[in-house]
Amino acid sequence: MTLAFRYRVSIVLIMFVFGSGVSGARAAEPGESVEPVVREVRALLDEYQFQAALDVLTRAIGHTPAAAPLHKLSGDVLMILRRHEEALSAYRQAVKLAPEWVDAQWALWALLTRVSADPEEVLSTLQAITRVEAENPLVHLRLGRTLHELKRYEDAAAHFRRAVQLAPEHPAFRLYLARALFDILDMSGAQAQVQWVLDHAPHGSPAWVAAQNLAHVVRGETTDQGARSDFFATTKKPYGETGKDYKTWALTRERAWREMKTGDYVTAEALWRETLVLDPQDDLARYYLGLTLMKLSRYDEAIEMLQASLAESREPPYFADALFQIGQSYVRLEQWHKAIPYFRTLLALKDRAKEDYYAMNFPDLSAIQAALEDARRHVKPGMAEATLPWPIAPEPDRTTNDEPAIPRENVGLPHTSSSLAMQDREAGSTQVLPISVDTVRGWFRELMTARSVVRDDLQTGSHEFYPLDPSDSFRPDQPEIYVVFALTTPPSVATTVTSRWVAEQVEGLAPETVIGIDAVAVGLNDTTGYFVLDRPEGGWPAGLYRIDLFTGDTPSSSTNIANVRFRVVAPVQ
């Protein structure tokens, strides 16, 4: 793998951080220390003497079989040698000897994930980590996602709720909880979480936009009714015990359309009303019934029906024409002041005439302008213009970028001209949705933060990278933090993948501060790789961090492919 925008000219191929791992494990045997063995193994690994290191560990384990650190280190070496089943056995033994040693738990979980092992063992290992790190919101979030994938929705919601309790100010955690509550049909709870984000997240921010999108779902405005819903019961509910008669409904709808086109509006009206009996939620039928009533000069009824066609769907493809026809109906009734807001709204939304979704049904702009001017000429002086019976979303200003700028700090950024040039880019248009922990979107089958990384040179000339001492929690004095990835499939063409490191909620930094960027060039034969960021001067500030991954050199919302979170925790005094 070719590395781009790196601080180092050469890469240290083997980097172990044993000190933190050994200190957390149970002592081997009374009066004995494993430190001399660890130092000897480390020296051998620095010289790439993997088999010799394994031989030393095998003899040491024979002498002190209760030494959990030696079993964990043996698992690391076996993983490097691609003897994965033996490595898993070594990690399992380390966990058995030291159940509270979270470093061994993380190592076992990471390798189980890499080799796509039994989902139940992956789950049980993650549950064990959660019991040890009960105050870590990220591990609850990760466990919640795993349980959700296994369709254990109630258990998933419990862990998402715990993540929110531990980090109540984090909007993304609340959106996860909202979705989980919706899936178990707690609609009011889901709506409350979404509303909290809308009330507290900056207007227009990625979290606010995500909450807006999720709001439509939790309010029941989409076909998604929640994972625990009975789809067929939901579809039958509006139409009685027997459910909707799709065949009769479709045939009646077709006949109504045909009669309307031939000019038999009396028959068409009866058929449209019959269609609505068969499907009371058919807003398109309401729209056509409204047009039919206009042809019959029954404008009051037409207005009522056209407004009803928008009450639930709000802005369907026929939205613009429905507004125009309502305005025209008020004109026919000589209620000019009521027609004006409909014509004025259409002109305010004129840019939608260029959008494929509305273009075919958008009235001619000159006709709208003429109708508005004519209506205003008929309004008596002093008569107030009416307002629409429901709010219309304002048309965004397409000439400016209203996204808030992301504050930036040059903290621990690799000191190369390429990285600095990327760091200096404007970030307003590159925000992405901060909605997940370890979210994998097609490109990656594994994303894991770690204290160190090892590179294995294969006989084919390619390389395999493995995370060593994986975790999502780090100390402020951690020298480097790595993100090791495994691709689902190698790319069809050489591609640059860029990582942007963001301080989401970190002491002493503004929210969403970009602290560094790293990039790698992924070749046709590459299946794994890593990103790295050095410890900033003065250490890593405590808090929550997010790493956004993008294809290409320039981060943008359209090139975002995944993100992963980690936290920095100050040691307990």
Side-chain angles (χ1 to χ4, degrees):
M1 173 173 288
T2 304
L3 300 179
F5 313 128
R6 290 291 192 207
Y7 171 50
R8 301 167 186 78
V9 176
S10 61
I11 303 170
V12 178
L13 299 186
I14 303 295
M15 293 162 281
F16 283 92
V17 184
F18 293 126
S20 61
V22 174
S23 63
R26 193 178 69 182
E29 291 182 2
E32 294 195 60
S33 172
V34 299
E35 290 296 339
V37 177
V38 169
R39 286 195 295 270
E40 182 180 359
V41 170
R42 182 176 182 178
L44 290 169
L45 292 173
D46 285 342
E47 298 176 359
Y48 316 121
Q49 300 296 316
F50 302 130
Q51 188 58 52
L54 185 59
D55 292 341
V56 171
L57 285 167
T58 301
R59 290 193 297 271
I61 290 172
H63 180 62
T64 55
L70 296 183
H71 287 281
K72 193 267 183 185
L73 183 51
S74 178
D76 291 340
V77 177
L78 288 164
M79 179 181 65
I80 296 169
L81 295 172
R82 298 191 299 282
R83 293 160 61 175
H84 291 156
E85 287 301 323
E86 295 173 78
L88 288 172
S89 297
Y91 287 145
R92 292 184 185 111
Q93 184 63 20
V95 169
K96 181 179 179 181
L97 292 169
E100 302 300 310
W101 187 23
V102 73
D103 285 4
Q105 298 276 14
W106 275 115
L108 175 59
W109 178 85
L111 186 55
L112 287 169
T113 303
R114 170 70 70 100
V115 300
S116 302
D118 177 15
E120 288 300 325
E121 185 177 7
V122 174
L123 175 63
S124 64
T125 304
L126 194 52
Q127 288 172 326
I129 295 172
T130 307
R131 286 192 292 271
V132 178
E133 294 194 325
E135 302 303 307
N136 180 356
L138 296 183
V139 76
H140 283 283
L141 213 61
R142 193 186 300 271
L143 179 55
R145 290 184 61 245
T146 302
L147 289 164
H148 195 275
E149 291 169 2
L150 296 174
K151 299 184 179 181
R152 293 172 55 175
Y153 301 115
E154 288 76 13
D155 293 337
H159 285 282
F160 289 138
R161 190 185 301 279
R162 182 57 181 154
V164 169
Q165 291 171 348
L166 292 169
E169 300 301 316
H170 202 299
F173 295 0
R174 288 183 178 270
L175 294 180
Y176 259 120
L177 175 58
R179 176 68 228 195
L181 293 174
F182 179 74
D183 280 333
I184 61 175
L185 309 184
D186 182 357
M187 306 307 179
S188 60
Q191 292 170 12
Q193 295 299 325
V194 171
Q195 191 59 50
W196 187 97
V197 177
L198 292 173
D199 291 342
H200 292 81
H203 186 87
S205 67
W208 186 88
V209 172
Q212 283 279 66
N213 294 335
L214 189 56
H216 293 291
V217 177
V218 300
R219 288 199 298 258
E221 297 173 3
T222 70
T223 56
D224 185 352
Q225 298 298 313
R228 288 291 188 217
S229 67
D230 184 337
F231 174 78
F232 292 103
T234 301
T235 56
K236 287 179 180 180
K237 191 179 300 181
Y239 318 119
E241 294 296 326
T242 59
K244 177 175 174 177
D245 185 344
Y246 284 93
K247 182 177 180 180
T248 303
W249 166 78
L251 290 173
T252 305
R253 211 171 188 253
E254 173 61 24
R255 288 173 56 206
W257 173 258
R258 189 166 55 247
E259 297 297 338
M260 185 179 175
K261 283 299 182 182
T262 60
D264 187 352
Y265 299 114
V266 173
T267 303
E269 179 196 357
L271 290 171
W272 284 124
R273 293 191 185 279
E274 186 178 342
T275 301
L276 286 169
V277 171
L278 293 167
D279 183 355
Q281 293 185 335
D282 188 348
D283 284 337
L284 184 60
R286 282 191 177 84
Y287 165 70
Y288 282 123
L289 176 55
L291 298 183
T292 302
L293 291 168
M294 287 184 68
K295 292 294 185 180
L296 295 171
S297 300
R298 290 155 57 185
Y299 298 111
D300 283 318
E301 294 176 69
I303 291 169
E304 181 181 356
M305 196 57 60
L306 290 168
Q307 289 177 338
S309 75
L310 302 177
E312 292 296 330
S313 300
R314 288 298 173 93
E315 299 184 18
Y318 59 82
F319 162 71
D321 187 63
L323 291 183
F324 186 70
Q325 299 302 337
I326 293 171
Q328 291 286 56
S329 294
Y330 278 124
V331 167
R332 298 292 189 277
L333 294 171
E334 298 186 359
Q335 297 179 21
W336 314 99
H337 66 294
K338 292 184 179 180
I340 288 175
Y342 290 91
F343 299 142
R344 190 178 63 241
T345 298
L346 283 170
L347 289 177
L349 302 178
K350 62 180 181 296
D351 284 345
R352 297 195 187 184
K354 304 173 185 177
E355 300 176 8
D356 292 342
Y357 188 69
Y358 295 109
M360 292 187 64
N361 294 285
F362 209 98
D364 181 72
L365 293 176
S366 61
I368 299 171
Q369 184 66 49
L372 176 60
E373 293 173 358
D374 183 60
R376 282 177 170 163
R377 282 195 296 270
H378 287 82
V379 174
K380 296 179 180 179
M383 180 179 291
E385 294 181 359
T387 58
L388 297 185
W390 61 84
I392 300 295
E395 185 70 3
D397 183 354
R398 300 172 188 267
T399 62
T400 62
N401 183 1
D402 293 330
E403 290 187 80
I406 300 178
R408 315 177 73 77
E409 294 283 345
N410 186 12
V411 181
L413 184 68
H415 302 295
T416 69
S417 58
S418 297
S419 291
L420 290 174
M422 294 184 70
Q423 178 76 348
D424 291 338
R425 294 181 189 272
E426 287 298 322
S429 61
T430 63
Q431 292 194 60
V432 294
L433 179 61
I435 191 66
S436 68
V437 55
D438 191 21
T439 295
V440 181
R441 303 180 187 171
W443 266 74
F444 307 104
R445 59 184 174 86
E446 179 192 32
L447 277 173
M448 189 68 220
T449 50
R451 299 187 184 97
S452 51
V453 65
V454 62
R455 187 179 95 178
D456 180 20
D457 295 319
L458 305 178
Q459 292 181 350
T460 59
S462 58
H463 314 293
E464 189 87 5
F465 292 93
Y466 294 93
L468 291 174
D469 294 318
S471 179
D472 63 9
S473 300
F474 301 90
R475 293 164 56 102
D477 60 355
Q478 174 65 32
E480 302 99 4
I481 294 177
Y482 296 85
V483 181
V484 183
F485 62 83
L487 298 173
T488 305
T489 57
S492 57
V493 294
T495 304
T496 297
V497 180
T498 300
S499 66
R500 186 177 63 183
W501 301 60
V502 180
E504 282 193 300
Q505 295 181 355
V506 173
E507 294 177 2
L509 295 176
E512 297 294 311
T513 296
V514 176
I515 61 171
I517 290 178
D518 191 21
V520 297
V522 182
L524 302 182
N525 296 320
D526 293 326
T527 58
T528 63
Y530 72 92
F531 303 97
V532 60
L533 195 66
D534 295 310
R535 178 182 59 212
E537 185 177 351
W540 296 92
L544 290 172
Y545 295 78
R546 186 183 75 249
I547 306 163
D548 298 324
L549 303 182
F550 308 85
T551 55
D553 298 331
T554 305
S556 72
S557 57
S558 61
T559 60
N560 177 231
I561 52 176
N563 49 57
V564 60
R565 284 186 169 87
F566 67 91
R567 66 174 186 159
V568 174
V569 183
V572 179
Q573 300 297 326

